[in-house]
Amino acid sequence: NAGVMQNPRHLVRRRGQEARLRCSPMKGHSHVYWYRQLPEEGLKFMVYLQKENIIDESGMPKERFSAEFPKEGPSILRIQQVVRGDSAAYFCASSPPGTQYGEQFFGPGTRLTVL
Amino acid sequence: AQKITQTQPGMFVQEKEAVTLDCTYDTSDPSYGLFWYKQPSSGEMIFLIYQGSYDQQNATEGRYSLNFQKARKSANLVISASQLGDSAMYFCAMREGTAGNNRKLIWGLGTSLAVNP
């Protein structure tokens, strides 16, 4: 049973470019979460999605960031016009529906570097 | 105010000994869950153990146990018989409310554990 897949593992962008991060949840999981980890810090929640719905986006910056989880295909975290401060590790996690305590299974992360 | 506090930036332990990693939390919600994750140098986040606020007993998973002291709002991770492969960052996280209505995890800054041979 494959775990949570994220690609690319490493992404380098120049300021002003767009970054697209992909996440394929574990089989049978319909809940996806995105977190950001700045160097030397813990994770910060960004967004929680179910298929075709954004459930909680309270951690998403108001501008330049968007996320989707379409009916078919992976979840996408999109960052437009990247700036140096966007450099971080972005983790995706997933959980099955009806989980008793909401345990989240994490992918390996995408390390974004903005030059 | 920090909702999850991990006061030990770095810890050392001798191989085969036990070590306790501290975590205190702050919430006014009577229902919550506490998680510990391990992040080795390779970067992935590995789930270790969970404790629910209403659980009567401390959680255990193999060599991991959680010392849950509700009145003190602490949820310390105990690793018994440390192994070299336990060297990693360890994060404490909290979910406020039930899993049915909130899935957002709030994270501490982590503790770096080094196991010495």
Side-chain angles (χ1 to χ4, degrees):
Chain A
N1 188 13
V4 178
M5 310 285 283
Q6 287 188 251
N7 66 79
R9 294 291 304 275
H10 300 274
L11 181 62
V12 179
R13 286 287 178 266
R14 297 191 180 279
R15 282 179 294 170
Q17 291 184 320
E18 178 180 287
R20 284 196 177 217
L21 288 62
R22 293 174 181 78
C23 169
S24 297
M26 289 179 68
K27 187 176 181 180
H29 288 194
S30 56
H31 300 242
V32 165
Y33 318 82
W34 286 94
Y35 293 85
R36 176 165 63 176
Q37 184 180 31
L38 294 170
E40 311 300 324
E41 293 189 13
L43 277 65
K44 301 288 187 190
F45 169 82
M46 300 182 75
V47 64
Y48 161 34
L49 310 103
Q50 296 178 18
K51 286 282 187 181
E52 299 185 282
N53 285 306
I54 296 175
I55 306 301
D56 182 352
E57 57 181 346
S58 58
M60 285 280 272
K62 299 297 182 199
E63 298 178 350
R64 302 187 298 108
F65 285 72
S66 62
E68 62 176 9
F69 188 18
K71 186 176 181 180
E72 300 291 337
S75 175
I76 305 288
L77 178 67
R78 182 182 177 204
I79 311 172
Q80 295 178 292
Q81 299 176 333
V82 296
V83 301
R84 289 222 172 104
D86 297 333
S87 294
Y90 292 83
F91 286 92
C92 169
S94 72
S95 63
T99 173
Q100 182 180 359
Y101 52 82
E103 175 190 340
Q104 297 174 16
F105 297 85
F106 281 78
T110 293
R111 272 113 188 118
L112 172 66
T113 301
V114 179
L115 301 178
Chain B
Q2 290 280 4
K3 291 217 173 208
I4 296 287
T5 302
Q6 294 181 254
T7 57
Q8 306 152 312
M11 290 282 287
F12 294 91
V13 65
Q14 283 298 120
E15 194 178 5
K16 299 182 184 178
E17 292 186 350
V19 63
T20 297
L21 306 182
D22 295 342
C23 173
T24 58
Y25 59 92
D26 182 26
T27 182
S28 57
D29 199 316
S31 179
Y32 53 88
L34 297 155
F35 302 76
W36 277 92
Y37 282 83
K38 172 184 178 181
Q39 186 178 39
S41 57
S42 50
E44 71 272 29
M45 299 293 287
I46 303 168
F47 167 74
L48 295 178
I49 197 167
Y50 169 82
Q51 181 82 45
S53 59
Y54 294 119
D55 291 347
Q56 295 296 314
Q57 294 185 324
N58 287 346
T60 60
E61 287 286 349
R63 294 186 299 110
Y64 304 108
S65 61
L66 205 151
N67 184 1
F68 182 44
Q69 298 189 40
K70 198 169 181 177
R72 294 186 176 184
K73 292 190 175 179
S74 74
N76 298 339
L77 177 70
V78 180
I79 306 174
S80 63
S82 298
Q83 302 173 355
L84 296 179
D86 293 335
S87 295
M89 284 290 290
Y90 288 81
F91 290 96
C92 179
M94 176 174 66
R95 183 208 69 242
E96 292 181 299
T98 64
N101 57 30
N102 180 31
R103 297 291 185 94
K104 176 167 62 179
L105 294 184
I106 303 165
W107 298 75
L109 296 180
T111 294
S112 176
L113 176 66
V115 180
N116 297 324

